[in-house]
């Protein structure tokens, strides 16, 4: 790298991984410092020698930017605490980015990078009305989750993230989403975590017990379970009506009635899970067979019909196979919040 025709950087930047996704999406980087004068343009020239044999099969990309500033993290946290101490409400945004998680490479930790956990803990200690927005695309550890007033899992919101977050925080919109994944209290609780290939092979010893099914089998309590989520109102599950019997290749209608018992309009997601405790084959503890969003005004009671295909009660044995017998259809608002149970007999 030359600056104003002066060579300032001459380095070899080897790839840290043979994985194509990691090499292309999270490449290694090098940098150096220069003296600059405000208002004076600088001519920067970069020369790169391309190897004859490339691990990226001919693909090549460059990214240019600035090194992080040399700032004391303790001072940054202290400044944030000073600001939060004098505020009515503190809103802290934490999370990950493309350098931490990607479809192209694996993460090595579920912890938030840097000093983010220390930042949240310090602000929560200074202001009891601390709200944390987690801007991440997949599960991370939240060791301070019980010490803050609220946690919003916002995922990656894109260019309208700021406006959307403001709408939710001010109550203009309800945080109506539900957990599509299970989030652990700590990384070592994750039931299926050894997914590193050995000699080019990955073993799937967990079989059908993946995702929330693996958590149910392990019996370990997560921080947030599959299907969980809160809004700005409260709900009561009034009744569930299901037929007593069904046959293969039939759609089972289940009528669910709920009441918005809160003071404002809201949204809930009704979920139905199936169980077969006496199965002769390996089954999940329970598995999702239907879900449906419902909306209601304050005090309003609404009913909805969820259709459960009986095929979802089958198991795979060189083809979908039906096991006659009694199945439990458990209804509620998450994989572990299921106050209603109906029994249905699957006939041959």
């Amino acid at each position: 790298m030359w600056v104003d025709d002066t060579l300032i950087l001459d380095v070899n930047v080897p790839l840290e991984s043979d994985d194509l996704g990691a090499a292309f999406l999270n490449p290694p980087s090098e940098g150096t410092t220069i003296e600059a004068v405000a208002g004076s343009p600088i001519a920067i020239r970069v020369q790169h020698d391309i190897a004859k044999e490339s691990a990226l099969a001919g693909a090549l990309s460059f990214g240019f930017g600035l090194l992080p500033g040399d700032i004391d993290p303790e001072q940054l946290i202290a400044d944030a605490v000073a600001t939060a101490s004098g505020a009515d409400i503190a809103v802290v945004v934490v999370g990950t980015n493309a350098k931490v998680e990607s479809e192209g490479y694996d993460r090595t930790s579920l912890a938030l990078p840097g000093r983010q956990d220390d930042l949240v803990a310090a602000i929560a200690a200074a202001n009891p009305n601390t709200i944390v927005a987690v801007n991440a695309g997949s599960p991370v550890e939240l060791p301070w989750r019980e010490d803050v007033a609220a946690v919003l899992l916002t995922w990656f919101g894109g260019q309208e993230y700021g406006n959307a977050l403001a709408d939710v925080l001010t109550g203009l919109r309800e945080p109506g989403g539900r957990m599509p994944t299970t989030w652990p209290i700590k990384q070592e609780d994750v039931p299926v975590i050894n997914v590193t290939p050995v000699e080019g092979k990955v073993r799937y010893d967990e079989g059908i017990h993946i995702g929330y099914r693996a958590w149910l089998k392990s019996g370990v309590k997560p921080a947030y379970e599959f299907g969980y989520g809160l809004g700005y109102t409260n709900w009561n599950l009034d009744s569930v009506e299901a037929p007593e019997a069904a046959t293969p290749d039939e759609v089972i209608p289940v009528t669910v009635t709920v009441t918005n018992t809160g003071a404002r309009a809201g949204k809930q997601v009704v979920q139905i899970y199936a169980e077969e405790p006496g199965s002769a084959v390996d089954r999940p503890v329970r598995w999702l067979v239907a879900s449906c969003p419902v909306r209601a005004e304050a005090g309003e009671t609404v009913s909805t019909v969820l259709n459960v295909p009986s095929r979802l009660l089958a198991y795979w044995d060189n083809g979908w196979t039906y096991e006659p017998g009694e199945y439990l259809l458990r209804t509620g608002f998450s994989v572990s919040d299921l106050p209603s149970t109906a029994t249905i007999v699957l006939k041959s």
Side-chain angles (χ1 to χ4, degrees):
M1 178 184 293
W2 287 263
V3 171
D4 291 335
D5 292 326
T6 299
L7 181 65
I8 63 168
L9 187 66
D10 186 6
V11 293
N12 179 38
V13 188
L15 293 176
E16 298 173 354
S17 170
D18 292 333
D19 183 271
L20 293 180
F24 193 73
L25 298 175
N26 189 28
S29 61
E30 288 286 348
T32 188
T33 58
I34 63 173
E35 295 292 332
V37 178
S40 299
I42 298 172
I44 299 175
R45 176 166 58 92
V46 176
Q47 177 178 306
H48 174 69
D49 295 328
I50 302 176
K52 292 182 179 180
E53 295 181 1
S54 173
L56 295 180
L60 187 66
S61 70
F62 292 96
F64 301 95
L66 299 177
L67 292 171
D70 186 14
I71 304 175
D72 181 9
E74 291 293 345
Q75 185 60 52
L76 291 175
I77 293 176
D79 292 344
V81 168
T83 301
S85 299
D88 295 331
I89 298 173
V91 179
V92 186
V93 181
V94 298
T96 63
N97 56 28
K99 297 289 287 185
V100 178
E101 59 172 308
S102 168
E103 295 180 357
Y105 52 87
D106 294 332
R107 290 187 292 167
T108 58
S109 172
L110 297 187
L112 287 169
R115 299 286 302 280
Q116 295 184 87
D117 287 334
D118 295 336
L119 172 67
V120 175
I123 292 179
N127 190 325
N129 297 320
T130 295
I131 300 169
V132 182
V134 183
N135 182 212
S138 53
V140 292
E141 294 177 333
L142 308 175
W144 34 259
R145 70 191 184 285
E146 301 291 347
D147 301 323
V148 298
V151 177
L152 284 171
L153 304 183
T154 59
W155 314 99
F156 291 140
Q159 64 183 11
E160 287 298 311
Y161 178 82
N163 291 328
L165 180 60
D167 287 349
V168 171
L169 291 177
T170 58
L172 182 62
R173 297 288 184 179
E174 175 162 341
R178 298 299 182 263
M179 296 296 294
T181 51
T182 304
W183 286 39
I185 295 175
K186 52 186 183 299
Q187 180 170 314
E188 51 265 37
D189 292 340
V190 178
V192 179
I193 200 168
N194 184 18
V195 294
T196 303
V198 177
E199 296 181 354
K201 297 180 179 180
V202 178
R203 295 182 59 86
Y204 292 88
D205 295 326
E206 67 274 10
I208 62 172
H209 302 282
I210 60 174
Y212 68 88
R213 301 177 180 187
W215 283 91
L216 291 173
K217 185 178 181 180
S218 72
V220 177
K221 179 178 174 60
Y224 304 111
E225 74 269 18
F226 179 80
Y228 174 79
L230 300 176
Y232 288 146
T233 188
N234 298 308
W235 296 83
N236 185 65
L237 181 62
D238 300 326
S239 64
V240 176
E241 299 178 6
E244 296 181 355
T247 59
D249 301 321
E250 179 182 353
V251 174
I252 306 167
V254 180
T255 302
V256 180
T257 302
V258 296
T259 298
N260 178 353
T261 60
R264 58 170 285 168
K267 170 191 173 184
Q268 181 58 277
V269 179
V270 178
Q271 303 163 43
I272 300 178
Y273 296 80
E275 297 181 7
E276 191 186 12
S279 178
V281 298
D282 186 26
R283 296 267 198 171
V285 174
R286 71 183 65 99
W287 61 98
L288 182 71
V289 293
S291 64
C292 180
V294 293
R295 292 175 172 82
E297 298 295 324
E300 184 182 9
T301 298
V302 295
S303 295
T304 187
V305 177
L306 287 79
N307 292 317
V308 179
S310 61
R311 211 285 290 149
L312 296 182
L313 305 179
Y315 65 92
W316 183 262
D317 183 14
N318 295 319
W320 291 112
T321 304
Y322 291 88
E323 184 180 21
E326 289 189 350
Y327 289 78
L328 304 180
L329 296 183
R330 300 189 60 184
T331 305
F333 305 131
S334 81
V335 71
S336 59
D337 178 18
L338 301 166
S340 177
T341 301
T343 299
I344 186 169
V345 176
L346 181 63
K347 299 181 178 179
S348 57

